[in-house]
Structures are given as C-alpha cells and as structure tokens.
Amino acid sequence: MPDLVTPHQDLHSERGALRGEHPGRSRNPVIKAADLAWLEFEKPDLDRAEVFARDFGFGVAARTPDALWLRGVFGGPPCMVIRAAPVSRFVGPVFRAAERADLARLARVTGTSVVPSDVPGGGEAVALLDPSGFPVRVAHCAEPLAALPGQRALTLNTGAAPRTRTAPRVDVTQRAPREPARVQRLGHVVLETRVFRRTLDWYLDTLGLIVSDFLFLDGQRERGPTMAFLRCDRGGVPADHHTLALHLGPGTGYVHSAYQVTDLDALAAGGEYLTERGYQRSWGIGRHIQGSQLFDYWRDPDRFMLEHFADGDLFTCDIEAGWAPMSGSGLAQWGPPVTRDFLGASPSPARLREVLRALRDDTELDPPRLLALLKAMNS
C-alpha cells in the first residue's frame, strides 16, 4: 500500500533547503542571544492590564504608578513590562545576553552604548533598531527573579499503563482546578514585517538566531521564504523550536506572544476560567505543526493576542531548517478551523491602508505575493 499523502507531510522536511536557498543561519554572528527576556508594551490603563494579567496567569514582579512588570513562576527575567502611555502599542522585544561581555561586543560592533536597565533586580542593556523599525534591546540581568511555586502537572493513566496497583494513579480521582493557567515563562513573539528578508538576516547576523522552519508561498518557492521560525543557538543545549517568528505582510507590527503553562489540563482549565471572566478566545484549543505546541489564543482588553502553550519541540543546533508551503490548514495538526481573527484577515480600513502603502513603498510585497498570501490563508 503506498504511503498516505497528507497536508502535514514534510512540514519539517528532511530534504531541507534546495541548492542556493537561504541557509537559515549566519556564518559569523555578532553574538548568540541566549533567549527572549521580556516584551515591552505601553497602555493607558495599568489597572485594567493588571486584572487581565492575573486572570491570564501572570504574577506581578513590580508595580509603580508608571510601570507594571509581569512574571512567570520560573526563575529568571520577567516576562513583560507595561508602561503607562496615552495609547496602547507594542514597543519591542528584549533578548537576554548569555553574559555581560556580549553587551560590550554588541555595542562596539553596532556603535551603540551599554546603559542601565530598569528591570527589577537591575541590569544593563543595549538598544538597537531592526530593519522593520522595531526597537530591539539586548539585556543582561544583575539579579534574576527567584522561582515561585508552580501548578502541579496531573498524573496520567495512559493506555499503555499496567492495570495493576503499580499504575500511575490508582484509587484516586483528579480534577483540574478552575483557576488561571499559571504562566511559567515567556516562550516566543511573532512579528509581521514588510521587509522580511532584510529583517530575517539582521536577527541571524546580529543576535545569532537560527531558523528551525521556513514557509514559502505556493508556486513561489524560487522567490524565497515568507515566514521563518527562529530559535536561539545554544549549541548542544536544546532550545525552543522558535523564540521569534517573522512573516511577510502588509504591516509592521506585533502579531502575538506565547507563554508556557504546565500541561494541557492547565491550558484548558485556564481557558474555561478566562471564558467565565468574559475574555475572547481568538483560536484554540489545538496542536501546532511547526513547533508542535498545544495552543490556545486569547485577546486582552487592548486587543493584543496572547497564547497559552505547552509541550513544544526542543531543537539543538544540529537540526537544519525545514521548508514547507504556507497555508491556513497547515497551522495545526488538530483543533478547530483557524479563525479570521487569528489570521488578521478582517478587511478593516486600517488594514487596507497598510496594503496600499506596502504596495507603493520600497517593500518586499508586490501584487503576486499579496495574492499568494491571501490564497494561502484561505487554503
């Protein structure tokens, strides 16, 4: 019987790149960032932001009249800072330097300076600007936050478990508590850019990120990829399948950010809690293909999209980039159909202005690519 052909074959392709295609890594990066440290936002109502943050499962690391620092239960840097401002906006990502010397090297090569950071516990940072115009900081924390108690993972009786008194759980029931899914840590951020190739190469060359998977538009592979899932290069130490994802689009901005929770039960029970509190699910629950994460997406009161995830892939530096066609149906192994809200496919006046501006300006988006993007998201 021939192998069954499914939409999910070769989505991390063993064949990898064709001759002459993007290698997915830089030969000589300035530094190799260790991880994504935190994300920076501005919002007009810090009280409202804190209510959602606690419902979503964050802890509060610090609070002043002008700033709210959010954390997970794992030790390390905080997950997010929200500063008071008249308008809600995403400011940019902050990456974690492996050591203090990396900041000095980065500042010397880029012609910038190492300056003090206002992160709780103190530290220093270098401020940069990527080709999309995003402020990107690289930080080294002086005193990382201590770990807090986390949610207990439920003990599962799998189908292979013996039906004896040595089974994982005997004479004991279990119910996932209806409570916020306690965030463990920040996992990744996804950004849209109109200058995809330039922005991709900047993160590879400057921060030493490496590509786990490329996506390309159907019939346009020869024009190069239009989405990349990038991870930190920790050598033989496993890293998340992606710490940053970039995709070509008519806009330049934040798409979503993802926060790890204990397991599927924590994710699902936390989602029920959010539903009861009146928040809007954007898409979920399901399991992704690139990265394999269990996912559940939500909108906060300022319309930013945040993801709970569990059980993601971990790659060492030995894994080369996979190549796959981009499609809406290729975003999940299982789960409900992808929503228009998740895809950002609603034709709002602001979105139409972004499209027209992208087609007019010096960007990597042209009519054939735009039409192929629309086709991919509806396939």
Side-chain angles (χ1 to χ4, degrees), residues 42-53 63-68 82-89 300-302:
E42 292 179 347
K43 297 185 179 183
D45 191 337
L46 294 189
D47 290 334
R48 185 177 70 170
E50 182 176 347
V51 170
F52 172 80
R63 172 73 194 264
T64 71
D66 299 319
L68 172 66
I82 305 172
R83 295 188 173 90
V87 177
S88 293
R89 73 182 185 104
D300 77 2
D302 295 278

Side-chain angles (χ1 to χ4, degrees), residues 6 27 31 35 65 77 165 176 204 206 212 222 259 278 308 312 336 341:
T6 76
R27 290 186 176 182
I31 67 166
D35 207 347
R165 288 191 176 274
L204 304 186
T206 308
S212 297
E222 76 284 351
Y259 305 86
H308 283 144
D341 180 70

Side-chain angles (χ1 to χ4, degrees), residues 131-143:
S132 295
F134 279 117
V136 177
R137 292 205 293 159
V138 181
H140 187 261
C141 297
E143 296 182 17

Side-chain angles (χ1 to χ4, degrees), residues 115-127:
V115 298
S117 170
D118 60 348
V119 63
E124 296 177 303
V126 172

Side-chain angles (χ1 to χ4, degrees), residues 10-301:
D10 296 326
L11 288 169
H12 186 83
S13 169
E14 286 92 8
R15 291 194 295 269
L18 303 176
R19 183 183 295 274
E21 287 186 320
H22 199 297
R25 56 186 72 195
S26 174
R27 290 186 176 182
N28 188 29
V30 179
I31 67 166
K32 292 187 176 182
D35 207 347
L36 188 60
W38 67 86
L39 303 177
E40 303 199 337
F41 291 83
E42 292 179 347
K43 297 185 179 183
D45 191 337
L46 294 189
D47 290 334
R48 185 177 70 170
E50 182 176 347
V51 170
F52 172 80
R54 292 186 184 276
D55 289 342
F56 190 78
F58 291 107
V60 174
R63 172 73 194 264
T64 71
D66 299 319
L68 172 66
W69 288 89
L70 304 175
R71 63 163 298 168
V73 297
F74 285 0
C79 296
M80 183 188 300
V81 60
I82 305 172
R83 295 188 173 90
V87 177
S88 293
R89 73 182 185 104
F90 173 67
V91 177
V94 180
F95 290 84
R96 178 169 65 86
E99 53 190 45
R100 182 9 181 114
D102 285 343
L103 297 185
R105 183 181 306 108
L106 193 59
R108 183 175 66 253
V109 172
T110 60
T112 54
S113 302
V114 179
V115 298
S117 170
D118 60 348
V119 63
E124 296 177 303
V126 172
L128 306 169
L129 200 67
D130 78 9
S132 295
F134 279 117
V136 177
R137 292 205 293 159
V138 181
H140 187 261
C141 297
E143 296 182 17
L145 300 170
L148 299 175
Q151 267 172 316
R152 181 180 63 87
L154 297 190
T155 302
L156 303 181
N157 281 328
T158 65
R163 293 302 188 264
T164 68
R165 288 191 176 274
T166 62
R169 195 180 76 254
V170 176
D171 294 338
V172 176
T173 62
Q174 64 181 358
R175 306 288 184 269
R178 190 69 60 86
E179 63 182 9
R182 212 165 305 166
V183 167
Q184 295 175 329
R185 65 183 179 93
L186 168 62
H188 63 260
V189 64
V190 180
L191 303 176
E192 179 179 345
T193 173
R194 298 183 296 169
V195 286
F196 171 81
R197 178 62 184 262
R198 281 180 269 170
T199 303
L200 167 67
D201 288 345
W202 185 89
Y203 281 98
L204 304 186
D205 293 337
T206 308
L207 303 185
L209 303 186
I210 55 180
V211 176
S212 297
D213 278 290
F214 280 124
L215 300 184
F216 57 88
L217 294 173
D218 186 37
Q220 296 188 18
R221 181 166 180 170
E222 76 284 351
R223 297 192 63 183
T226 52
M227 185 165 188
F229 297 86
L230 295 84
R231 68 187 186 275
C232 294
D233 182 358
R234 299 181 184 170
V237 177
D240 287 342
H241 172 273
H242 56 284
T243 300
L244 169 69
L246 298 169
H247 75 78
L248 177 66
T252 296
Y254 170 93
V255 180
H256 76 259
S257 52
Y259 305 86
Q260 181 176 287
V261 299
T262 301
D263 58 14
L264 177 58
D265 281 281
L267 181 147
E272 291 299 303
Y273 181 86
L274 287 168
T275 298
E276 291 171 352
R277 299 281 287 172
Y279 299 109
Q280 177 195 343
R281 174 179 271 122
S282 181
W283 183 35
I285 298 172
R287 186 181 281 276
H288 278 307
I289 293 177
Q290 279 79 21
S292 302
Q293 300 95 338
L294 295 163
F295 65 81
D296 197 16
Y297 292 91
W298 295 86
R299 292 283 185 182
D300 77 2

